[in-house]
Amino acid sequence: MHLISIDPRALQENPNKARRSKSSSQADAVLLASIKAVGIVQPPVVSAASKGGNGFVIDAGHRRVAQAIEADLPEIVVLVNDTGDGDGAVRSVVENIAREPLNPVDQWRAIERLVALGWTEESIALALALAVRQIRKLRLLANIMAAMLDQMAGGDMPNEQQLRTIAAASQEEQVQVWKKHKPKKQEQAAWWEIARALTKTRMLAKDASFGDDLAAAYGITWLEDLFAPADQDGRYTTNINAFLGAQQEWLASNLPKRGTVIEVNDWGQPKLPAKASQVYGKPGKGDYTGWYINPHDGSVQSIAYRVPNSKKAKGDPQDGETQSDDAVAVPKVRPDVSQKGLDMVGDLRTDALHAALARAPIEDDTLMALLILGFAGTNVAIASGSSDNPYGHAEGRKHAARLIGEDGRLNFDRKTLHQVARSLLVDVMSCRRNRSDSGLAARIAGDAIGADAFLSNMATEEFLACLSRGALEATAEASGVPIRIKVKDTRAALVEHFAEGSFIHPASTIAPAGDEASAWAARFSPTDPDDGSAGEATGDAEREMPPVISADADPDDEQTEDGEEDERTGFREAAE
C-alpha cells in the first residue's frame, strides 16, 4: 500500500460499498467543517479499477471524498490498496463497524492538550465542529476527582448544571460525597444526589449593596466563578451570615426619607404594616417605601405602600395645631333643609319633570335637545363601540355641553343641534359583537338612514378567509368568478375581481328582516290599554296622570293574577 495525491473528483464510487444508507445532513455538515479547518486526517482507501478500467475506486471513505469535493479541495491524499478485491471488501466493512467515538473524558484530555499547544477554545470548536459551550463544559472535568472521571469515562455523564456544581466543590468535599454515593459496579451514579450534596448557597457580589470596607469588616472573601459569563461580575461568597449582616448594616445607614425597614414572611415576600396597601403605580408624596433583604439572593429590594389616614378623635386638634384655652367653640349650624327634606325635594322635582315631559308643548328642536340631555345624565351608562377599547363608555355630557349657552340655559342653532345629535348617536349605537352591541335597534336605525350604502368592500383576504368553502364557492359563482381547485386561489380571484368594485356579503347587511323587526317591536310594545306609557310616547297633553296609590292601600289589590303589574311598572321605570 502506498500514498498518492489525487483530485477527489477523479475517484470512482464503489458499487459494492458497505454503507448504502444516506448520512444525515448534520453529520455531513460537521465533517465538512472539520475538513475545511484541518483537512482530511485519515486518508481514504482506494484500489485500482478492475476489468481493465482506468482510475481508482473508493474502498473506504466515501463521505470524506464527497465532503472534500464540497470543500473545493484541488487534491487529497489517498491510500492505494494493492491487494485483491476480497481484502478490500473486508476492510470496507471493518472501517464502518469496528469504530468507537471518544468518550467525554478522552475528549477533555485531548482538548487540554490542544490548549497547552496554544489553541483557543474558539479555534478548537471550529476544528472539531463542536459548540464553544460544549468545549467549556468538557473543560469542567479538570476540577473533577479521578474516581468520578473513571465513572464518566464509561459513558455515565451528569448534565451540565450538575457538572458545574461538582466542579465548583473542592477535592476534599468531592471525596467525602463520593464515598457516600459511590455506585456499585455496572450501575450508574446518582449525579443529582451528588450535586445536591455538594450544593452551596452562594451570595453574588453583584447583589451586594455594601462596599469593600464593610466586606472587610465582616470578613467576606470573594471567590471567582470561572464559568460565569465574561460580561458579568462572577464573584461570590458562601459566608451567608456575614453577607446578610453587611447588607443589614448598609441598609440601616442608607435608609431614605419616608423609608422603613420591613420584614419578610416564610416565603421571602415582604410583610406590609397593618392596613397598608401596596402602591403599584408611581408613589405619591405621602406614600412610604419599605426596604427589605431578599432571603433567596441577599439583594436589597423595596416596595411602595400607602397607609390610610388615621381618624382624628372628635374635638382633637389637627397635626401641627395647638388648642388654646380661650378658644371659642363654634356651634354646629343646622342646614336649612335636612337630608330627608332634600330627598322629598328630589321626588317632587322628578314628578314635575315627568309631568312636563308628558303634557307640556315642546318644539321639535327642543325635544331633540332634551333627548341629548337625557343621555348626558349621571344615571346613564352606555357601552360605546366608537373606540378601539371594548370596555369604553359613551360620554353624553361632552355632547350636551355644546347646547348650553353662557347663561346656563339651552341655546343652540339647528346646525349645531344636528351635529350634536349625530355625534351622540355615533357614540351610543353599535353593531360590534361585544358589550357595546346595541342589538336590533341599531340595525333598524341603520336601515332608516341607508347605512348599507356606506359598507366598505369585503372582498379582502382577511374577510374571505372567514368563509367556508361552500360559502366562498357560492359567492364566486354568484359573482361570475370561476371556481379554482384550491380555496386560496378562489379567494385571490375574488379579491382581484372586486379590486375596482365593492362586494357586500348578504349576511353582513345592516337592514334586518321585516319579520325580525316586527317581532322585536311586538315584544317590547305595551299591550295593556291602561298603561300610561303609550300616552307618554305620543306626547298627549290631555292624558291624565296615573292615580296616586294610597299608602294604606293593599298592594295585592294592584296586582293582577298574572303578575302583569310588575312588568308594566318595570317598563314605566325604564321609560322614566
Side-chain angles (χ1 to χ4, degrees):
M1 301 181 72
H2 60 280
L3 294 172
I4 63 170
S5 295
I6 191 173
D7 186 346
R9 300 163 188 79
L11 298 177
Q12 303 174 17
E13 286 281 340
N14 190 340
N16 299 318
K17 61 182 180 180
R19 189 188 297 273
R20 302 293 182 88
S21 58
K22 186 177 180 181
S23 57
S24 65
S25 57
Q26 182 179 4
D28 289 343
V30 170
L31 181 59
L32 176 61
S34 176
I35 292 176
K36 286 183 177 180
V38 297
I40 296 180
V41 178
Q42 181 180 354
V45 180
V46 300
S47 59
S50 59
K51 299 180 181 179
N54 296 324
F56 296 94
V57 178
I58 304 172
D59 286 342
H62 291 78
R63 292 182 59 239
R64 279 167 280 170
V65 172
Q67 297 308 315
I69 297 173
E70 185 70 21
D72 201 20
L73 297 182
E75 287 185 347
I76 62 173
V77 176
V78 297
L79 186 62
V80 180
N81 176 24
D82 298 327
T83 60
D85 293 340
D87 292 341
V90 172
R91 187 176 291 105
S92 177
V93 176
V94 172
E95 172 77 15
N96 290 279
I97 293 180
R99 176 187 299 169
E100 183 179 1
L102 290 177
N103 61 60
V105 177
D106 291 336
Q107 292 182 29
W108 159 65
R109 293 190 175 115
I111 290 171
E112 291 298 331
R113 181 169 176 268
L114 293 176
V115 171
L117 293 175
W119 286 59
T120 63
E121 293 179 346
E122 290 74 13
S123 59
I124 296 174
L126 180 63
L128 302 182
L130 295 175
V132 177
R133 184 182 182 90
Q134 180 67 13
I135 300 297
R136 292 172 180 170
K137 175 184 174 182
L138 291 172
R139 296 199 66 190
L140 290 174
L141 297 177
N143 303 319
I144 306 298
M145 60 174 291
M148 291 187 184
L149 283 178
D150 294 339
Q151 181 72 17
M152 297 177 189
D156 184 12
M157 282 290 296
N159 60 36
E160 183 175 354
Q161 184 60 39
Q162 295 167 352
L163 186 58
R164 287 182 180 274
T165 302
I166 298 171
S170 64
Q171 292 285 332
E172 294 77 10
E173 293 172 335
Q174 293 183 32
V175 170
Q176 294 177 2
V177 173
W178 184 252
K179 287 181 179 179
K180 183 177 180 180
H181 297 282
K182 182 179 180 180
K184 297 180 180 179
K185 291 184 178 181
Q186 307 301 326
E187 291 184 1
Q188 292 187 342
W191 294 115
W192 66 273
E193 289 187 355
I194 297 173
R196 185 181 63 176
L198 293 173
T199 299
K200 290 183 179 180
T201 303
R202 294 182 175 185
M203 293 298 175
L204 304 180
K206 66 179 182 179
D207 294 326
S209 299
F210 54 86
D212 295 337
D213 52 346
L214 279 179
Y218 280 84
I220 298 175
T221 302
W222 297 116
L223 304 176
E224 191 71 31
D225 186 358
L226 301 178
F227 310 106
D231 57 344
Q232 295 183 7
D233 187 356
R235 296 177 301 159
Y236 68 93
T237 182
T238 56
N239 193 346
I240 309 302
N241 293 332
F243 184 92
L244 296 179
Q247 290 283 70
Q248 288 283 6
E249 183 171 341
W250 178 91
L251 181 58
S253 303
N254 296 272
L255 199 62
K257 185 180 179 181
R258 299 188 69 83
T260 59
V261 178
I262 58 178
E263 299 179 353
V264 295
N265 57 21
D266 296 338
W267 296 275
Q269 298 174 343
K271 295 170 60 176
L272 297 179
K275 298 183 180 180
S277 58
Q278 182 176 353
V279 178
Y280 294 96
K282 184 178 180 181
K285 293 183 179 180
D287 296 333
Y288 295 87
T289 304
W291 295 84
Y292 64 98
I293 296 178
N294 190 331
H296 301 299
D297 57 12
S299 61
V300 176
Q301 298 182 6
S302 63
I303 181 174
Y305 65 91
R306 184 171 299 152
V307 178
N309 296 328
S310 58
K311 296 183 179 179
K312 298 292 183 180
K314 190 174 182 179
D316 288 351
Q318 299 294 327
D319 295 340
E321 297 180 358
T322 58
Q323 187 173 6
S324 61
D325 296 336
D326 56 350
V328 179
V330 179
K332 186 176 181 181
V333 180
R334 179 178 177 179
D336 295 338
V337 183
S338 65
Q339 296 297 323
K340 182 177 180 181
L342 294 177
D343 292 339
M344 295 176 64
V345 170
D347 293 341
L348 294 174
R349 284 176 175 174
T350 303
D351 292 341
L353 175 62
H354 290 179
L357 288 173
R359 292 183 287 179
I362 305 175
E363 296 181 357
D364 293 343
D365 291 349
T366 304
L367 186 62
M368 185 184 300
L370 294 178
L371 182 61
I372 295 173
L373 287 174
F375 281 107
T378 56
N379 61 335
V380 177
I382 300 176
S384 176
S386 62
S387 66
D388 296 333
N389 182 10
Y391 301 100
H393 287 81
E395 182 55 73
R397 289 184 286 270
K398 68 178 182 181
H399 302 292
R402 299 175 59 187
L403 306 179
I404 308 300
E406 295 180 356
D407 57 353
R409 298 178 180 275
L410 285 176
N411 186 5
F412 54 86
D413 54 28
R414 179 177 290 268
K415 181 179 179 181
T416 302
L417 179 63
H418 286 188
Q419 291 177 351
V420 172
R422 288 173 181 269
S423 300
L424 179 62
L425 290 172
V426 167
D427 265 1
V428 170
M429 289 194 169
S430 169
C431 295
R432 304 184 191 278
R433 291 190 55 187
N434 54 27
R435 60 189 293 273
S436 69
D437 188 7
S438 302
L440 199 62
R443 297 181 61 189
I444 295 174
D447 182 30
I449 59 178
D452 282 333
F454 293 84
L455 286 172
S456 58
N457 184 19
M458 297 183 180
T460 62
E461 282 285 350
E462 185 178 8
F463 177 78
L464 295 178
C466 302
L467 301 181
S468 64
R469 185 187 187 101
L472 185 68
E473 292 179 351
T475 300
E477 184 177 359
S479 305
V481 176
I483 299 174
R484 271 60 168 183
I485 297 177
K486 295 183 178 179
V487 174
K488 65 177 183 179
D489 294 338
T490 305
R491 286 200 302 265
L494 281 171
V495 172
E496 183 180 1
H497 179 76
F498 289 101
E500 302 297 334
S502 179
F503 165 70
I504 305 299
H505 193 271
S508 62
T509 56
I510 297 178
D515 53 350
E516 187 178 3
S518 300
W520 180 85
R523 176 184 177 188
F524 297 106
S525 296
T527 56
D528 191 346
D530 295 333
D531 192 349
S533 59
E536 293 176 5
T538 59
D540 186 2
E542 297 181 359
R543 181 188 63 83
E544 295 192 359
M545 298 294 294
V548 178
I549 301 176
S550 173
D552 299 332
D554 187 357
D556 293 339
D557 296 339
E558 302 298 322
Q559 299 281 347
T560 63
E561 60 182 3
D562 294 332
E564 295 177 354
E565 181 62 20
D566 290 339
E567 184 178 0
R568 293 199 304 271
T569 303
F571 283 126
R572 186 179 298 110
E573 292 177 352
E576 293 175 355

